[in-house]
Amino acid sequence: MANVENQDMVTVGIGTVVESILQQAISTGSSDIHLDPERGKLSARLRIDGILYPLNGLEKFNPEEVISKIKVMAQMDIMERRLPLDGHLEFTSEGKKYNFRVSTTPTIYGEAVVMRMLDREGIAVNIAELGFTTQQMEIVQKIINSPYGIAIITGPTGSGKTTLLYSFLGYLNKPEKNILTLEDPVEYQMPNIRQMQVNEAIGWNFAKGMRAVVRQDPDVIMLGEIRDAETAGMPSKPH
């Protein structure tokens, strides 16, 4: 288990604290950061290999200040504390860019935050690099070469759903195909593909996006999430 304790946090400013939290998540290979306000203190944990480990050194910081700083960095409404909010921020470490998907939810002691770390530059988009057996590869290729139908990718947190979806797009990405995506957020930018960022704050959700996408003469549509019955039942063209 990697050491996630930082004794120097108590001597630095809020902005530096947040950067230190993000840096430790990266250095320990964490998938998620959990920040929970408690009575008069902030509790923090990092999810590493599926298990949550405490991140020490934050007890003396004001939970509202730390969480407000994160919301500012994620371009979220810092005045809204009554409703769950979603946002994302980008952080650069040693020249490499990481995207953190930020989710807040109100609790009796204030807003709790979960940040999912997304390594944009570390996503493998070549199916051959994913470790499929020959038999599995034949099944996968049969699915994605089908001229019509739908493939639904499911699985627990950190199981590789995003990596698999992008590998499918990489395989299908050819000049003769019009490929469109609806994502929240766009986790990996791909050439020759129309990638669209969902923005719930302005009403641009998956359902509205799907209505627009099906009018764009698509050959392939990649939907990042199915959040509601309307999106699930939306008619679409092949793939």
Side-chain angles (χ1 to χ4, degrees):
M1 153 61 192
N3 179 16
V4 295
E5 181 174 1
N6 188 342
Q7 299 291 350
D8 297 326
M9 281 188 179
V10 296
T11 65
V12 299
I14 297 298
T16 305
V17 168
V18 173
E19 291 181 2
S20 179
I21 293 170
L22 299 177
Q23 185 60 60
Q24 288 197 71
I26 292 169
S27 64
T28 56
S30 304
S31 62
D32 301 87
I33 303 168
H34 289 244
L35 300 177
D36 296 290
E38 298 179 3
R39 191 184 298 274
K41 67 176 184 178
L42 181 65
S43 171
R45 293 173 294 173
L46 300 180
R47 187 178 295 280
I48 304 171
D49 294 331
I51 300 174
L52 285 171
Y53 295 95
L55 175 61
N56 300 315
L58 293 171
E59 294 81 5
K60 294 186 179 181
F61 286 95
N62 186 315
E64 288 188 6
E65 292 182 0
V66 175
I67 291 168
S68 291
K69 177 62 177 178
I70 291 170
K71 290 176 71 175
V72 169
M73 294 172 66
Q75 299 182 332
M76 301 164 73
D77 184 357
I78 63 171
M79 301 304 294
E80 180 55 77
R81 300 174 182 174
R82 303 163 299 172
L83 298 171
L85 298 175
D86 293 302
H88 68 274
L89 62 89
E90 192 172 87
F91 182 73
T92 301
S93 174
E94 298 182 354
K96 191 173 183 178
K97 291 183 179 180
Y98 297 84
N99 185 278
F100 288 84
R101 185 165 55 202
V102 183
S103 172
T104 67
T105 187
T107 74
I108 59 172
Y109 292 122
E111 291 176 288
V113 175
V114 172
M115 291 186 281
R116 163 65 54 82
M117 185 171 70
L118 308 166
D119 180 359
R120 286 186 175 182
E121 299 177 10
I123 296 178
V125 294
N126 189 337
I127 292 180
E129 298 175 0
L130 300 184
F132 287 124
T133 65
T134 301
Q135 183 179 10
Q136 289 170 335
M137 183 66 78
E138 290 175 356
I139 295 172
V140 168
Q141 289 179 330
K142 182 178 180 180
I143 292 172
I144 58 181
N145 284 326
S146 173
Y148 54 85
I150 181 171
I152 299 178
I153 311 301
T154 66
T157 297
S159 61
K161 298 185 295 294
T162 298
T163 298
L164 184 59
L165 280 170
Y166 278 118
S167 72
F168 282 7
L169 291 180
Y171 180 88
L172 293 167
N173 191 5
K174 298 178 176 61
E176 62 269 22
K177 290 188 180 293
N178 181 25
I179 303 176
L180 300 96
T181 75
L182 279 169
E183 307 174 61
D184 186 20
V186 174
E187 298 177 18
Y188 183 82
Q189 297 177 14
M190 304 186 73
N192 307 316
I193 292 179
R194 299 183 194 175
Q195 294 174 270
M196 286 168 276
Q197 168 75 51
V198 168
N199 188 341
E200 298 278 358
I202 62 172
W204 178 246
N205 55 27
F206 282 103
K208 287 185 178 179
M210 279 295 289
R211 283 196 290 271
V213 163
V214 297
R215 293 193 292 269
Q216 291 290 307
D217 187 32
D219 293 299
V220 177
I221 299 172
M222 192 276 272
L223 187 63
E225 297 180 38
I226 300 177
R227 293 180 177 174
D228 51 66
E230 184 181 6
T231 304
M234 193 71 64
S236 66
K237 296 187 70 174
H239 271 94

